Amino acid sequence: MALFALPTSPDLRRDRPALPGDAAWWAFCAATALALGAFSSLGPHRVWGAAAALGYTVAAVLAARGRSPRIAGAVAVTGAVLLPLLVLLAVDRAQLEVDVVARSAGLLLSEGTPYLERPTAPEDFNPYLPGMAAFGIPEAVAGPGPLTDPRLWMGAAFLGAFALALPAGARREAPRWLAACPLVALPLAVGGVDLPVAGLMCLGLARAGQGRAGRAGLALGLAAALKWTAWPAVPVALALLATAGGGDGRRGSRAALRCGLVALLTAAAVVLPAAVRDPGAFRTHVVEFPLGLTGAVSSAASPLPGHLLATQLPGGRTLALLLLGVSALLLAISLLVRPPATGAAAAARLALGLLLAIAFMPASRFGYLVHPLVLAAWALARQPPAHPLRIRERVRDLVREPVRRRKQASR
């Protein structure tokens, strides 16, 4: 009878990929946080590095002593997110992006555009699309304070969108691990505009994978209204919907068209009013400044290939932009030749495309890697447990195995 026993609940979850959480992982996170705190010239980063290194070290000790991964993960999140966040809120310190978002919200409410007319210094520029100003509206309306800080609203939007993009059974473990990951914990504590964009992209792909074209378009349109980096997610979702019609090409085409229209209208409703209000300022802030075409130098200057080409070689900026365009073309060709069939495959394709874009952008930084990380983590966390068909196949094989052995012995 043991041969015919159906797998138990733990057996069903055995095929789900395990997320890192052992002592070695937390020790690596501690070393990463300690290095950032020691070498960074930014005050908020040094605060985060000290607090996070302590939290990760305690988590590593607990994991080494056999404590449950949940306890170690909770300690890591406390040290890497909650503790530095509370300290920075108390002393009113944040990454530059938080101030930019807060200022843009004030300008949007008073001037009708989130962009300064004549920016000069790098901190005067707002390289984000108008939707990003929404996270600064609480502070613009109620004044500065711990509860109106834009990073709280950006973090809440990210965690909420990421959790909604997951199956119900994975909404605890995956967000907790992701929040503890240094590349995510840092912007959660010091402020990071990329997190809500990444969360909405996951939500849009999740809805596209479920065939909910309208909801996918809404999520992707909101993401596209925040930052340019979300725009590649739209064609990936369209390719996914076009092939998800169950063999009905017209049905898939209609779903893709509906998603594209909703995404376009949503993004246009948010972006166009500010762009029309002052087209010159819009172009200067969100096109020329990110591409390094203004006199002010962007702070996004991590030594990635695109930045090194742009700064170290004559004509290197043109070469970097050419490589960026080739990467986008290759992604488009891959969507036409072999479109993704599942949400996880779409997330993997988008993560690869964004990884190439981040590598070849003339003005880039390591923090942008949070986009492919979140997409990859979402694709991994949403992998379903063993399918019932696979369970039946296991039982069938167990039943047939003794018969097959007897036949071989008779021969």
Side-chain angles (χ1 to χ4, degrees):
M1 292 298 294
L3 291 175
F4 304 101
L6 288 174
T8 61
S9 180
D11 294 325
L12 296 180
R13 293 190 295 266
R14 193 170 294 162
D15 290 338
R16 188 183 295 279
L19 297 173
D22 56 8
W25 165 251
W26 297 128
F28 170 76
C29 293
T32 302
L34 193 61
L36 179 64
F39 294 105
S40 177
S41 60
L42 302 176
H45 286 194
R46 291 197 297 268
V47 172
W48 178 85
L54 176 61
Y56 289 138
T57 301
V58 176
V61 172
L62 292 174
R65 292 183 175 181
R67 295 297 182 91
S68 71
R70 289 185 177 181
I71 294 177
V75 171
V77 171
T78 300
V81 179
L82 297 180
L83 180 58
L85 177 61
L86 292 175
V87 171
L88 292 171
L89 287 174
V91 299
D92 194 21
R93 296 291 301 277
Q95 200 163 259
L96 177 61
E97 285 90 332
V98 176
D99 295 331
V100 171
V101 171
R103 185 189 65 220
S104 67
L107 288 171
L108 181 64
L109 295 180
S110 61
E111 306 292 337
T113 174
Y115 307 109
L116 289 172
E117 185 177 359
R118 295 183 181 86
T120 54
E123 55 269 20
D124 294 337
F125 286 87
N126 173 17
Y128 317 123
L129 292 172
M132 193 67 71
F135 298 110
I137 289 179
E139 181 170 318
V141 173
L147 297 181
T148 60
D149 193 285
R151 82 190 97 173
L152 295 180
W153 299 96
M154 289 188 288
F158 161 66
L159 293 174
F162 186 79
L164 287 175
L166 291 170
R171 289 178 180 172
R172 290 186 179 182
E173 181 181 1
R176 181 172 59 247
W177 174 85
L178 195 59
C181 181
L183 202 57
V184 175
L186 175 63
L188 280 175
V190 305
V193 296
D194 295 295
L195 290 179
V197 179
L200 285 171
M201 285 194 295
C202 291
L203 183 58
L205 292 179
R207 296 299 177 257
Q210 296 167 351
R212 301 178 179 179
R215 296 185 181 184
L218 178 61
L220 294 174
L222 291 175
L226 299 179
K227 205 174 180 185
W228 291 118
T229 49
W231 285 48
V234 177
V236 174
L238 297 184
L240 174 60
L241 284 165
T243 59
D248 187 347
R250 292 184 177 180
R251 179 183 176 187
S253 298
R254 288 196 298 268
L257 179 61
R258 184 164 62 254
C259 175
L261 286 176
V262 173
L264 178 63
L265 292 175
T266 302
V270 178
V271 174
L272 283 182
V276 173
R277 175 71 173 79
D278 193 340
F282 179 83
R283 183 181 64 253
T284 299
H285 283 266
V286 303
V287 178
E288 296 176 355
F289 180 69
L291 294 178
L293 302 179
T294 60
V297 179
S298 171
S299 60
S302 296
L304 293 167
H307 177 71
L308 294 177
L309 287 173
T311 56
Q312 302 299 323
L313 291 179
R317 185 178 302 280
T318 302
L319 178 58
L321 293 176
L322 178 62
L323 291 173
L324 185 62
V326 170
S327 301
L329 179 62
L330 290 176
L331 177 63
I333 292 175
S334 74
L335 294 176
L336 293 174
V337 174
R338 191 175 180 180
T342 65
R349 190 79 55 88
L350 179 59
L352 177 60
L354 290 176
L355 190 62
L356 292 173
I358 292 166
F360 295 128
M361 286 172 60
S364 186
R365 63 173 54 168
F366 289 118
Y368 295 163
L369 294 173
V370 72
H371 288 288
L373 170 67
V374 170
L375 287 165
W378 174 75
L380 180 67
R382 73 179 300 276
Q383 290 296 324
H387 193 275
L389 289 178
R390 294 178 59 189
I391 297 173
R392 288 197 292 270
E393 289 173 358
R394 292 178 186 176
V395 175
R396 183 188 61 194
D397 292 339
L398 288 172
V399 172
R400 291 180 177 178
E401 181 65 17
V403 178
R404 185 180 63 83
R405 289 181 179 179
R406 285 197 299 268
K407 288 182 179 181
Q408 289 179 346
S410 64
R411 292 175 185 175

